[in-house]
Amino acid sequence: MNFFGTLSIDSFVQTSAVAMGAQVFVIVAATGGVLWLIFSGTLDWLWREWLTSLDHKRIGVMYLILAGIMGVRGLADATLLRTQQATAALPSSGYLSAEHFAEIFSAHGVIMIFFVAMPLIFGLINLVIPLQIRSRDVAFPFLNSLSLWLTVAGALLVNASLVVGQFSAAGWLPYPPLSELAFSPGVGVDYYIWALQIAGVASLISAINFLTTIITMRTHGMRLMHMPMFTWTTLGSMLLVLFAFPLLTVVLALLFFDRALGMHFFTSTLGGNPMMFVNLIWAWGHPEVYILVLPLFGVFSEVVPTFSHKKLFGYTSMVVATMAITALSFLVWVHHFFTMGAGANVNAVFGIATMAIAIPTGVKIFNWLFTMFRGRIVFKTPMLWFMGFVSTFVIGGMTGVLLSIPGADYQLHNSVFLVAHFHNMIIGGVVFGFFAGFTYWFPKFAGFTLDERLGKWAFWLWVTGFLVAFMPLYALGLMGMTRRLYVVDPSWQPLLIVAAVGLAIILAAVAVQIAQLVVSVRNRERLHAGHNPWGSHAPEWAPLPPVDRTHNTGVAMCIGALAFLGGFGMVWHMWWLAILALAVSAVLFILPPFKHV
Amino acid sequence: MSTHQHNHSLFGLWLYILSDCVLFAGLFATFAVLRGQTFGNLSGSDLLHLSTLLVQTLVLLTSSMIIGLTTQAKSRGVILFGLAATFILGLVFIGFEIQEFAGLVAAGAGPGHSAFLSSFFVLVGTHGLHVAVGMLWMLILGVQVWLHGTTHAFSRRLTMLALFWHFLDIVWIAIFSIVYLLSTTL
């Protein structure tokens, strides 16, 4: 039994120049950050006011900061992918090895979904939900802080793989048998498993917390059918987390048992069934995309009436549509693998169920458009983001319906047409929706609005960049280009160069957004906003009585740190470390109730 | 504060139990798919020892009844007795399970020997792990009631523990039926 498990000095050796660069960057950034904290004298303030805070607003802001940092990492990965494919037209093979390219696209997907999109929605939900239902905080403030720090622990594990060992090269969902020990002998898949296992538990705890908050803590007189739409869609999204994330826990645990304990759930030997993994992970994975997009549908339902100066059209149908999407999203997972060959009837059922989701989604789109109809529309940035959303998301929706036809899917399965489709949904829906919500609610928390001029620049750059980056992928998919290729056919190169230019425009948009934040903070006197700058009638804008400061605790952060160590121990088979971290966490978790009996 | 908190925690526990149902549903689905994949090793019908299973089931059901009665008790002594009795019955249940697992491993039918055995060990073992966590919870509540007597917060926690323990009973009934009884027709 080795004290360091499978960890050795060799684990720190990175093979390629790009990987070494990333390793050095992470080490320098981490040490630099820690040293700055110690010597700038902000550590004490940070600890007191932020890291140990149980205030839902501060936890929300910290989620957004996590999403911002991980978003930079995800964009850096995207830049590597796009430049590789644009330059790797055969006979050239670009500058990344096949293995490294696979690690990067796996990390890109994992980071963008779990450590950018999820923190973004949990950030917004934390900031807004207690204000919308006018409760003093969430039901379980300590668990709220715990969720945040467990998510941070997961994000740190992903980044630790840049320094020690490597990340999974098996895609954002690591299909076996490739992800089994026989074909992925390194620690990459283990990093994946433990980063997601920890972050997944965090999401589940958050779901319990927000469901309890919404159901039991609404202000006096706010019945279910009085709830604002953002609260409704959050309710739907959190119900999906509650019922979907346990499946992620199961499937990751079973894959871990295969890899570490020699079991045979998904192996290709001794009776294992790889397709069971694919079924289980998509039974989680399809609800996951609605978990991400539903809260943003809620954001648009707040933004559109405010900037159209009209009541939301069809509130009841909006609620019904939200709940219909919530229910239907559990009945479509097989459309991710029609090519498994489950048979024509099974595929037809799931294809039709998939098309059926377009109906409630269409109801929502028409409700927003009818809200605008004959309204007094003001095109402030949040409304522009809605316009960007509605015009791009509908394209993505239609390509989705196209993909839901099993016959067409057999042709387009795993092509970059699919890559274009889901980026269309996630960027058009989740990312634009977040920007709408962020710009809209920003003055509520900061006391000043964001700079409009730069906001509009960012909007137009984002929409242009998105279209230039992803429309070529639809065409390439129809031309036969499959996804995840590290070298490409020369005939695809022109369109791939166009896509790379699109990414450059998106990077410019992000730069403008960072500038927008800086400029707005500098001009905050001039941009000063009253308590309701948009003239909204929604409950979160009404002034709130001052909240007594909730007490602070560093326990959640300590458990987060222990979860990171425990996860690291599991990855490197340092069982003693994992068991110790679990035991200490349990003690930390159990002790506080002894104080308040 | 206390009634309010009561509603929150109890509601939160119900939600957790719902999510745990999905967790077990995933494991049951996996077992259902893999139960025929014995690869020449032991199959379901080889595992069936109805007599021990009957005892095991009765032990768990009795423990559930005792913890249910304990929630109605007022005095510290009775509560401690109830918790101790439930704990011991839980220990007996786990003892049977460990014996069964050890026997299988000794007979060359450990979890790594076929997909069926992997899914059997993990499904039944996950339930056993839940039982162990419930027992840890009992220990903690025992210490609390020993130190502080029956406070408001304590009776809330005891109700929650009992709810969790009943839930584990229901899962066991499903395991008993699907894993063991159905194996006779395999």
Side-chain angles (χ1 to χ4, degrees):
Chain A
M1 190 66 181
N2 193 341
F3 184 73
F4 286 112
T6 51
L7 188 64
S8 69
I9 294 295
D10 293 342
S11 314
F12 290 86
V13 178
Q14 300 291 347
T15 43
S16 77
V18 181
M20 270 190 275
Q23 183 185 33
V24 172
F25 177 80
V26 171
I27 295 173
V28 170
T31 5
V34 170
L35 288 178
W36 180 80
L37 280 178
I38 293 171
F39 290 111
S40 66
T42 46
L43 190 59
D44 180 52
W45 166 80
L46 208 59
W47 176 260
R48 218 167 356 91
E49 296 290 326
W50 288 91
L51 305 183
T52 61
S53 176
L54 298 186
D55 180 350
H56 68 95
K57 296 189 283 298
R58 298 196 171 196
I59 289 175
V61 171
M62 286 187 280
Y63 265 118
L64 296 188
I65 292 171
L66 171 68
I69 293 170
M70 293 307 283
V72 171
R73 162 91 206 267
L75 269 176
D77 287 340
T79 311
L80 293 173
L81 299 176
R82 278 279 135 266
T83 44
Q84 164 74 12
Q85 284 196 333
T87 54
L90 286 166
S92 155
S93 61
Y95 63 102
L96 296 174
S97 69
E99 177 78 7
H100 194 199
F101 185 79
E103 267 182 56
I104 294 171
F105 69 64
S106 307
H108 170 74
V110 170
I111 287 170
M112 286 305 200
I113 295 292
F114 287 92
F115 301 110
V116 180
M118 289 297 271
L120 283 185
I121 66 155
F122 279 123
L124 273 190
I125 290 172
N126 258 296
L127 285 164
V128 177
I129 286 293
L131 301 186
Q132 269 204 338
I133 63 169
R134 302 185 73 74
S135 65
R136 298 197 141 232
D137 203 322
V138 294
F140 310 110
F142 170 73
L143 291 185
N144 200 18
S145 174
L146 185 62
S147 291
L148 167 73
W149 291 112
L150 288 179
T151 312
V152 173
L156 283 178
L157 269 180
V158 174
N159 286 325
S161 71
L162 286 177
V163 180
V164 203
Q166 69 290 106
F167 195 65
S168 168
W172 86 280
L173 297 182
Y175 281 13
L178 174 61
S179 56
E180 291 286 356
L181 201 59
F183 306 103
S184 296
V187 291
V189 177
D190 301 302
Y191 267 119
Y192 172 95
I193 290 173
W194 290 101
L196 265 58
Q197 198 64 290
I198 294 167
V201 169
S203 301
L204 188 61
I205 296 174
S206 284
I208 292 176
N209 208 343
F210 283 103
L211 285 170
T212 311
T213 307
I214 293 173
I215 297 295
T216 66
M217 290 177 72
R218 293 192 311 279
T219 188
H220 188 68
M222 185 187 277
R223 322 218 6 204
L224 282 176
M225 289 310 279
H226 297 155
M227 292 196 314
M229 268 325 293
F230 180 67
T231 306
W232 263 114
T233 55
T234 300
L235 183 74
S237 165
M238 294 298 111
L239 277 172
L240 289 177
V241 174
L242 187 75
F243 290 121
F245 269 75
L247 291 173
L248 181 69
T249 309
V250 167
V251 72
L252 292 175
L254 299 186
L255 183 60
F256 174 74
F257 291 150
D258 274 4
R259 290 177 58 86
L261 306 178
M263 295 197 194
H264 292 281
F265 287 101
F266 312 127
T267 56
S268 33
T269 52
L270 288 173
N273 186 343
M275 284 322 290
M276 192 60 204
F277 176 94
V278 180
N279 267 288
L280 280 174
I281 201 137
W282 281 115
W284 157 81
H286 198 85
E288 167 67 11
V289 304
Y290 289 94
I291 289 165
L292 294 178
V293 86
L294 271 176
L296 289 320
F297 284 172
V299 168
F300 292 127
S301 300
E302 306 289 342
V303 164
V304 173
T306 302
F307 293 96
S308 305
H309 296 93
K310 265 179 70 186
K311 238 178 80 176
L312 181 71
F313 181 91
Y315 172 85
T316 313
S317 63
M318 216 56 147
V319 171
V320 174
T322 303
M323 288 298 126
I325 292 174
T326 304
L328 281 173
S329 67
F330 272 107
L331 305 173
V332 299
W333 79 91
V334 173
H335 74 211
H336 293 273
F337 47 96
F338 281 143
T339 49
M340 175 173 81
N345 290 343
V346 173
N347 281 357
V349 166
F350 281 93
I352 291 166
T354 306
M355 292 174 213
I357 288 206
I359 298 170
T361 314
V363 167
K364 280 174 170 282
I365 301 265
F366 282 113
N367 279 346
W368 291 317
L369 296 181
F370 281 128
T371 307
M372 291 169 69
F373 182 64
R374 289 191 174 157
R376 193 156 49 80
I377 305 168
V378 182
F379 286 104
K380 295 275 188 191
T381 359
M383 194 62 189
L384 284 183
W385 286 116
F386 169 74
M387 301 303 290
F389 153 79
V390 87
S391 42
T392 54
F393 193 79
V394 169
I395 302 175
M398 286 190 295
T399 55
V401 173
L402 194 151
L403 283 167
S404 78
I405 302 162
D409 183 78
Y410 267 67
Q411 195 61 37
L412 295 167
H413 182 80
N414 260 3
S415 71
V416 289
F417 186 92
L418 169 81
V419 175
H421 159 71
F422 69 70
H423 282 89
N424 208 161
M425 304 314 266
I426 302 236
I427 293 179
V430 180
V431 178
F432 288 3
F434 170 75
F435 292 148
F438 183 74
T439 333
Y440 176 63
W441 281 312
F442 187 83
K444 175 75 195 170
F445 301 97
F448 56 94
T449 53
L450 287 169
D451 189 274
E452 273 288 314
R453 200 174 56 90
L454 286 172
K456 283 181 176 146
W457 267 101
F459 167 76
W460 286 109
L461 283 171
W462 252 111
V463 173
T464 317
F466 161 73
L467 291 172
V468 176
F470 289 100
M471 293 304 125
L473 295 193
Y474 279 124
L476 285 167
L478 291 170
M479 288 158 69
M481 179 176 167
T482 48
R483 70 199 289 203
R484 298 172 173 174
L485 295 178
Y486 88 107
V487 284
V488 299
D489 188 274
S491 66
W492 300 328
Q493 196 178 26
L495 282 174
L496 285 169
I497 291 174
V498 174
V501 170
L503 179 76
I505 302 174
I506 292 178
L507 291 178
V510 173
V512 171
Q513 284 178 306
I514 295 170
Q516 182 198 23
L517 263 179
V518 174
V519 168
S520 308
V521 172
R522 283 224 321 251
N523 297 342
R524 59 189 175 277
E525 300 294 329
R526 189 168 57 74
L527 294 167
H528 179 77
H531 63 82
N532 189 357
W534 318 116
S536 166
H537 298 293
E540 74 271 18
W541 292 101
L544 276 168
V547 177
D548 7 313
R549 279 182 66 94
T550 43
H551 62 278
N552 288 18
T553 173
V555 172
M557 197 186 172
C558 291
I559 295 181
L562 287 164
F564 171 77
L565 287 177
F568 193 77
M570 288 305 244
V571 170
W572 292 99
H573 294 195
M574 290 185 261
W575 309 123
W576 62 270
L577 180 62
I579 293 167
L580 188 69
L582 185 68
V584 178
S585 308
V587 171
L588 285 177
F589 188 78
I590 289 163
L591 276 184
F594 275 90
K595 284 188 234 142
H596 332 273
V597 272
Chain B
M1 150 81 188
S2 60
T3 51
H4 223 66
Q5 192 59 43
H6 184 95
N7 289 339
H8 292 175
S9 304
L10 201 59
F11 192 81
L13 183 72
W14 273 112
L15 292 175
Y16 162 73
I17 286 176
L18 280 176
S19 79
D20 230 17
C21 285
V22 181
L23 184 114
F24 278 108
L27 293 174
F28 274 114
T30 309
F31 178 80
V33 167
L34 299 179
R35 65 195 273 255
Q37 306 297 319
T38 55
F39 221 74
N41 207 310
L42 294 190
S43 72
S45 49
D46 302 320
L47 302 179
L48 195 72
H49 306 292
L50 267 183
S51 50
T52 36
L53 274 171
L54 181 70
V55 177
Q56 217 181 340
T57 307
L58 286 178
V59 162
L60 199 65
L61 291 181
T62 313
S63 75
S64 211
M65 187 184 75
I66 294 175
I67 195 100
L69 291 173
T70 310
T71 57
Q72 305 302 313
K74 295 278 177 282
S75 86
R76 186 194 300 208
V78 176
I79 291 177
L80 271 173
F81 178 79
L83 282 175
T86 318
F87 185 88
I88 289 165
L89 288 175
L91 208 60
V92 172
F93 176 86
I94 295 275
F96 273 115
E97 197 163 301
I98 291 174
Q99 196 191 20
E100 182 189 20
F101 281 11
L104 283 171
V105 172
H113 286 87
S114 75
F116 160 72
L117 287 164
S118 301
S119 64
F120 166 79
F121 271 91
V122 170
L123 171 58
V124 179
T126 304
H127 176 264
L129 188 68
H130 277 72
V131 171
V133 171
M135 286 163 59
L136 178 67
W137 195 352
M138 264 165 229
L139 272 184
I140 295 162
L141 286 192
V143 175
Q144 282 185 349
V145 76
W146 181 272
L147 290 176
H148 305 288
T150 52
T151 59
H152 222 77
F154 174 79
S155 31
R156 182 187 85 227
R157 288 172 193 153
L158 186 61
T159 314
M160 287 167 63
L161 169 63
L163 186 62
F164 179 68
W165 200 252
H166 297 325
F167 162 67
L168 296 185
D169 249 20
I170 295 170
V171 174
W172 176 253
I173 299 297
I175 289 179
F176 182 74
S177 316
I178 292 171
V179 175
Y180 293 101
L181 287 187
L182 271 185
S183 298
T184 51
T185 57
L186 197 85

